[in-house]
PDB file of all heavy atoms in Angstrom:
ATOM      1  N   TYR A 272    -121.614-250.866  78.736  1.00 98.00           N
ATOM      2  CA  TYR A 272    -120.152-250.921  78.747  1.00 98.00           C
ATOM      3  C   TYR A 272    -119.607-250.332  77.450  1.00 98.00           C
ATOM      4  O   TYR A 272    -120.124-250.595  76.365  1.00 98.00           O
ATOM      5  CB  TYR A 272    -119.677-252.371  78.889  1.00 98.00           C
ATOM      6  CG  TYR A 272    -118.169-252.490  78.882  1.00 98.00           C
ATOM      7  CD1 TYR A 272    -117.431-252.167  80.001  1.00 98.00           C
ATOM      8  CD2 TYR A 272    -117.496-252.928  77.755  1.00 98.00           C
ATOM      9  CE1 TYR A 272    -116.055-252.278  80.010  1.00 98.00           C
ATOM     10  CE2 TYR A 272    -116.117-253.046  77.746  1.00 98.00           C
ATOM     11  CZ  TYR A 272    -115.403-252.723  78.882  1.00 98.00           C
ATOM     12  OH  TYR A 272    -114.035-252.814  78.870  1.00 98.00           O
ATOM     13  N   GLY A 273    -118.568-249.522  77.571  1.00 97.00           N
ATOM     14  CA  GLY A 273    -117.918-248.952  76.399  1.00 97.00           C
ATOM     15  C   GLY A 273    -118.540-247.658  75.921  1.00 97.00           C
ATOM     16  O   GLY A 273    -118.146-247.120  74.896  1.00 97.00           O
ATOM     17  N   ILE A 274    -119.504-247.136  76.675  1.00 98.00           N
ATOM     18  CA  ILE A 274    -120.141-245.868  76.322  1.00 98.00           C
ATOM     19  C   ILE A 274    -119.703-244.833  77.350  1.00 98.00           C
ATOM     20  O   ILE A 274    -119.818-245.045  78.555  1.00 98.00           O
ATOM     21  CB  ILE A 274    -121.673-246.005  76.309  1.00 98.00           C
ATOM     22  CG1 ILE A 274    -122.088-247.033  75.272  1.00 98.00           C
ATOM     23  CG2 ILE A 274    -122.334-244.644  76.047  1.00 98.00           C
ATOM     24  CD1 ILE A 274    -123.552-247.394  75.307  1.00 98.00           C
ATOM     25  N   CYS A 275    -119.205-243.712  76.872  1.00 98.00           N
ATOM     26  CA  CYS A 275    -118.737-242.634  77.741  1.00 98.00           C
ATOM     27  C   CYS A 275    -119.905-242.131  78.586  1.00 98.00           C
ATOM     28  O   CYS A 275    -120.975-241.822  78.071  1.00 98.00           O
ATOM     29  CB  CYS A 275    -118.158-241.501  76.903  1.00 98.00           C
ATOM     30  SG  CYS A 275    -117.596-240.087  77.897  1.00 98.00           S
ATOM     31  N   MET A 276    -119.692-242.057  79.884  1.00 97.00           N
ATOM     32  CA  MET A 276    -120.740-241.620  80.790  1.00 97.00           C
ATOM     33  C   MET A 276    -120.963-240.115  80.724  1.00 97.00           C
ATOM     34  O   MET A 276    -121.944-239.621  81.280  1.00 97.00           O
ATOM     35  CB  MET A 276    -120.416-242.052  82.212  1.00 97.00           C
ATOM     36  CG  MET A 276    -120.388-243.569  82.361  1.00 97.00           C
ATOM     37  SD  MET A 276    -120.000-244.103  84.013  1.00 97.00           S
ATOM     38  CE  MET A 276    -121.668-244.076  84.703  1.00 97.00           C
ATOM     39  N   ASN A 277    -120.104-239.407  80.035  1.00 97.00           N
ATOM     40  CA  ASN A 277    -120.255-237.960  79.927  1.00 97.00           C
ATOM     41  C   ASN A 277    -120.894-237.568  78.589  1.00 97.00           C
ATOM     42  O   ASN A 277    -121.966-236.981  78.575  1.00 97.00           O
ATOM     43  CB  ASN A 277    -118.901-237.274  80.095  1.00 97.00           C
ATOM     44  CG  ASN A 277    -119.014-235.773  80.115  1.00 97.00           C
ATOM     45  OD1 ASN A 277    -119.795-235.224  80.867  1.00 97.00           O
ATOM     46  ND2 ASN A 277    -118.230-235.112  79.272  1.00 97.00           N
ATOM     47  N   CYS A 278    -120.260-237.930  77.494  1.00 98.00           N
ATOM     48  CA  CYS A 278    -120.741-237.491  76.175  1.00 98.00           C
ATOM     49  C   CYS A 278    -121.588-238.541  75.467  1.00 98.00           C
ATOM     50  O   CYS A 278    -122.160-238.276  74.418  1.00 98.00           O
ATOM     51  CB  CYS A 278    -119.572-237.074  75.283  1.00 98.00           C
ATOM     52  SG  CYS A 278    -118.522-238.453  74.751  1.00 98.00           S
ATOM     53  N   ARG A 279    -121.650-239.757  76.044  1.00 98.00           N
ATOM     54  CA  ARG A 279    -122.452-240.863  75.521  1.00 98.00           C
ATOM     55  C   ARG A 279    -121.944-241.427  74.190  1.00 98.00           C
ATOM     56  O   ARG A 279    -122.638-242.189  73.540  1.00 98.00           O
ATOM     57  CB  ARG A 279    -123.932-240.497  75.398  1.00 98.00           C
ATOM     58  CG  ARG A 279    -124.556-239.899  76.644  1.00 98.00           C
ATOM     59  CD  ARG A 279    -124.453-240.722  77.878  1.00 98.00           C
ATOM     60  NE  ARG A 279    -125.222-241.963  77.752  1.00 98.00           N
ATOM     61  CZ  ARG A 279    -125.096-242.995  78.540  1.00 98.00           C
ATOM     62  NH1 ARG A 279    -124.221-242.961  79.515  1.00 98.00           N
ATOM     63  NH2 ARG A 279    -125.815-244.066  78.384  1.00 98.00           N
ATOM     64  N   LYS A 280    -120.720-241.075  73.793  1.00 98.00           N
ATOM     65  CA  LYS A 280    -120.117-241.644  72.594  1.00 98.00           C
ATOM     66  C   LYS A 280    -119.427-242.954  72.946  1.00 98.00           C
ATOM     67  O   LYS A 280    -119.120-243.218  74.111  1.00 98.00           O
ATOM     68  CB  LYS A 280    -119.090-240.687  71.992  1.00 98.00           C
ATOM     69  CG  LYS A 280    -119.698-239.425  71.433  1.00 98.00           C
ATOM     70  CD  LYS A 280    -118.619-238.531  70.866  1.00 98.00           C
ATOM     71  CE  LYS A 280    -119.207-237.219  70.387  1.00 98.00           C
ATOM     72  NZ  LYS A 280    -118.154-236.308  69.929  1.00 98.00           N
ATOM     73  N   GLN A 281    -119.167-243.770  71.929  1.00 98.00           N
ATOM     74  CA  GLN A 281    -118.471-245.038  72.117  1.00 98.00           C
ATOM     75  C   GLN A 281    -117.026-244.769  72.547  1.00 98.00           C
ATOM     76  O   GLN A 281    -116.338-243.945  71.955  1.00 98.00           O
ATOM     77  CB  GLN A 281    -118.490-245.822  70.806  1.00 98.00           C
ATOM     78  CG  GLN A 281    -117.986-247.228  70.923  1.00 98.00           C
ATOM     79  CD  GLN A 281    -118.944-248.134  71.687  1.00 98.00           C
ATOM     80  OE1 GLN A 281    -120.145-247.956  71.629  1.00 98.00           O
ATOM     81  NE2 GLN A 281    -118.405-249.090  72.388  1.00 98.00           N
ATOM     82  N   ILE A 282    -116.571-245.451  73.582  1.00 98.00           N
ATOM     83  CA  ILE A 282    -115.179-245.357  74.007  1.00 98.00           C
ATOM     84  C   ILE A 282    -114.363-246.233  73.059  1.00 98.00           C
ATOM     85  O   ILE A 282    -114.709-247.402  72.848  1.00 98.00           O
ATOM     86  CB  ILE A 282    -115.005-245.836  75.461  1.00 98.00           C
ATOM     87  CG1 ILE A 282    -115.827-244.957  76.404  1.00 98.00           C
ATOM     88  CG2 ILE A 282    -113.528-245.848  75.857  1.00 98.00           C
ATOM     89  CD1 ILE A 282    -115.856-245.449  77.843  1.00 98.00           C
ATOM     90  N   PRO A 283    -113.297-245.701  72.461  1.00 97.00           N
ATOM     91  CA  PRO A 283    -112.503-246.484  71.514  1.00 97.00           C
ATOM     92  C   PRO A 283    -111.970-247.775  72.131  1.00 97.00           C
ATOM     93  O   PRO A 283    -111.607-247.837  73.310  1.00 97.00           O
ATOM     94  CB  PRO A 283    -111.348-245.550  71.144  1.00 97.00           C
ATOM     95  CG  PRO A 283    -111.877-244.176  71.400  1.00 97.00           C
ATOM     96  CD  PRO A 283    -112.787-244.329  72.590  1.00 97.00           C
TER      97      PRO A 283
END
Side-chain angles (χ1 to χ4, degrees):
Y272 179 77
I274 299 172
C275 178
M276 296 180 87
N277 185 52
C278 70
R279 309 304 294 165
K280 293 180 184 176
Q281 189 71 32
I282 299 173

